[in-house]
Amino acid sequence: DAQDDMDAAVKAMTMKGERSWRAWIRRPMNPSSNFRRFWELMVLVLVLFQAIYIPLTVSFKINHQKYTSWWTFDLTADVIFMVDLVMTFNVGVINNQNRLIMDRKKIAIQYLKTWFILDLAASVPFDLIIEAFQGPDD
């Protein structure tokens, strides 16, 4: 039962004050947790930034040099998007009956059926891949 899974997850996180990474890894994260809300807000800010940054750099042919602050920020955003992709497999989902699902297999199936392909395509650092295959004179 999903509620039993939720109760077990809460108990695992609070039992004897244990708030370690091991407890987080054992059970999927509650989608309403403070950490998850903060993470989603951070990802939203990065998406909004990328929605402005990418068209500007492409339109005006701005080429940032490697290891500058813009290049580093862009690389950091790419890494965060990839971490988010993996993390989403470890976040409970709310089903159509408004019940929290904490079963990893059901979470994975739901994610693969919905947002996974879009998230995967969005997290691929195409600029770095293209840069890796271009020669120094390109």
Side-chain angles (χ1 to χ4, degrees):
D1 182 353
Q3 188 59 41
D4 292 340
D5 288 343
M6 179 61 184
D7 292 341
V10 169
K11 185 177 180 181
M13 291 296 288
T14 57
M15 188 170 50
K16 298 179 184 177
E18 181 182 20
R19 293 188 180 272
S20 67
W21 284 101
R22 288 182 298 148
W24 180 79
I25 290 170
R26 282 186 208 129
R27 297 276 183 189
M29 185 185 328
N30 187 319
S32 300
S33 71
N34 288 336
F35 175 77
R36 184 62 185 174
R37 289 180 182 184
F38 166 77
W39 183 265
E40 287 184 353
L41 181 63
M42 181 179 63
V43 169
L44 175 65
V45 169
L46 286 174
V47 166
L48 293 174
F49 171 80
Q50 295 282 14
I52 295 168
Y53 173 76
I54 291 171
L56 283 175
T57 57
V58 170
S59 297
F60 296 106
K61 298 181 181 177
I62 300 170
N63 188 11
H64 295 294
Q65 297 296 318
K66 281 186 179 181
Y67 312 115
T68 64
S69 56
W70 283 111
W71 183 87
T72 304
F73 184 80
D74 191 36
L75 179 64
T76 302
D78 290 339
V79 169
I80 288 172
F81 290 142
M82 286 184 254
V83 168
D84 183 59
L85 179 83
V86 173
M87 188 188 306
T88 302
F89 281 104
N90 196 44
V91 177
V93 294
I94 308 293
N95 68 7
N96 293 338
Q97 291 79 31
N98 207 26
R99 300 215 40 188
L100 180 63
I101 305 299
M102 298 294 277
D103 179 84
R104 289 184 194 276
K105 184 176 179 181
K106 291 177 182 177
I107 292 168
I109 290 169
Q110 176 69 22
Y111 185 41
L112 290 169
K113 286 182 177 179
T114 55
W115 289 99
F116 176 75
I117 297 296
L118 182 64
D119 286 351
L120 179 63
S123 69
V124 174
F126 290 108
D127 53 337
L128 295 177
I129 293 169
I130 291 169
E131 185 179 299
F133 287 104
Q134 285 181 340
D137 297 330
D138 294 342

